[in-house]
Amino acid sequence: MKHIAPITIRRAHPEEPGVLQVAALDSARVPRSPLLVAEVEGEIRAVLSLDDGSAVADPFHESLDLVHLLRARAAASERTPRRSWLPLPLRKPRSAY
């Protein structure tokens, strides 16, 4: 039976050690931020630029599916309107008169 490890998808900073390591392993530059990463067992295995869609991945692990997963997550985020954490401005109640 094959072990299935949990996958974490999160935003990342371009200078995080794991991001830099994956780019170096892939012989590529770190993609332009903002970044989305896929972690497996605490290790970053794939990185996707939310700006231009470029990706880098760890060539020593099966990572193509992780890149597809990141692209799907990015596409879903684009379709979902973002809500600001700031409160809405207070409005005066309309008068009935």
Side-chain angles (χ1 to χ4, degrees):
M1 181 175 203
K2 187 174 181 179
H3 170 69
I4 299 174
I7 299 168
T8 301
I9 296 177
R10 65 174 178 84
R11 301 222 58 205
H13 190 276
E15 294 180 12
E16 281 187 38
V19 171
L20 296 172
Q21 180 181 8
V22 169
L25 289 171
D26 201 12
S27 300
R29 292 184 177 190
V30 173
R32 184 182 297 182
S33 63
L35 300 175
L36 203 57
V37 298
E39 288 182 338
V40 178
E41 296 180 339
E43 290 184 16
I44 295 176
R45 299 273 176 87
V47 182
L48 176 74
S49 169
L50 295 175
D51 182 58
D52 62 12
S54 62
V56 294
D58 185 338
F60 299 105
H61 292 91
E62 294 181 24
S63 51
L64 182 60
D65 289 339
L66 294 174
V67 173
H68 290 307
L69 188 62
L70 289 174
R71 289 191 196 285
R73 178 64 181 106
S77 294
E78 289 175 359
R79 290 190 302 267
T80 305
R82 295 180 108 191
R83 290 198 56 169
S84 174
W85 59 270
L86 296 174
L88 295 174
L90 295 176
R91 294 185 180 166
K92 291 173 101 176
R94 293 182 125 179
S95 173
Y97 301 101

